[in-house]
Amino acid sequence: MRARDLTLTALFAALTAAGAFVKIPTPISSFSLQFLATALAGILLGGRLGALSQAVYVALGLVGLPIFTAGGGPQYLLHPTFGFLLGLIPSAFIIGYLAEKSRRKTRLILACLAGLGVLYLVGLPYMGLVLNLYLGRAMSLGQILWGGMVLFLPGDAIKIAAAVLVGERLSGRLARERGEKGIDK
């Protein structure tokens, strides 16, 4: 791995950590900017390095750095939202894999939507298991979907729009710096 790739991977792990602490309140709920950083990691670094940046973020939080929204450490495995943190890894991979083919706006939007779908496919079942089996809350599927996804979809749409706009502008510049062949816009 080249030094530049290592640096960019670490940078996006740090951006994801910072995104955990930027909470934007809305009338219904608040949302963080972790998925924005994850989507940008996928768009700008590609599938492999994007996923690696998110794996580094999750690993650092699990070893005890308080970089998750409610702290860190191995006990976070039993936190209802930990599944969403795990989901950041395949989410970044899917976004990056799909975005590597083309940097066209439509392709980037679809890549981010696919990545968001993966995030929810990992996070929601994990949330349901922890809430129902470990914490004994007896929450229905509808309650889990509402509290774990539906409330966040408007914010997710804004994060996808921001990731696509920023990613589209920076991807060509980053590719030139990395000495890669230009990708169609």
Side-chain angles (χ1 to χ4, degrees):
M1 184 180 270
R2 295 183 311 184
R4 177 174 283 138
D5 290 343
L6 244 165
T7 302
L8 289 170
T9 300
L11 173 68
F12 277 95
L15 286 173
T16 307
F21 296 103
V22 177
K23 293 184 181 125
I24 300 169
T26 67
I28 299 172
S29 180
S30 65
F31 60 90
S32 74
L33 298 182
Q34 286 168 301
F35 181 70
L36 173 61
T38 300
L40 284 170
I43 291 169
L44 296 173
L45 301 182
R48 188 177 62 82
L49 291 178
L52 180 60
S53 73
Q54 300 310 291
V56 167
Y57 166 66
V58 172
L60 289 172
L62 283 176
V63 297
L65 291 176
I67 56 175
F68 299 148
T69 54
Q75 72 278 4
Y76 216 88
L77 288 166
L78 298 174
H79 196 278
T81 62
F82 183 72
F84 293 103
L85 295 172
L86 281 178
L88 294 175
I89 300 165
S91 179
F93 178 80
I94 292 297
I95 292 168
Y97 177 78
L98 295 173
E100 287 172 354
K101 310 280 188 235
S102 169
R103 298 290 194 251
R104 291 176 193 227
K105 192 174 291 189
T106 304
R107 179 77 175 208
L108 294 180
I109 291 169
L110 292 174
C112 288
L113 287 172
L116 184 64
V118 167
L119 180 66
Y120 283 123
L121 281 174
V122 175
L124 288 171
Y126 195 100
M127 179 184 215
L129 287 172
V130 170
L131 288 172
N132 288 320
L133 297 180
Y134 177 68
L135 297 175
R137 293 218 185 134
M139 294 186 72
S140 70
L141 177 61
Q143 290 171 314
I144 291 168
L145 289 174
W146 179 259
M149 181 180 73
V150 174
L151 291 175
F152 299 97
L153 290 176
D156 290 335
I158 293 167
K159 288 181 263 188
I160 287 172
V164 168
L165 290 173
V166 172
E168 189 180 39
R169 291 186 189 267
L170 293 180
S171 64
R173 194 173 286 168
L174 187 60
R176 282 190 300 277
E177 284 184 21
R178 293 171 81 184
E180 295 173 357
K181 188 175 153 182
I183 298 172
D184 64 83
K185 290 203 178 228

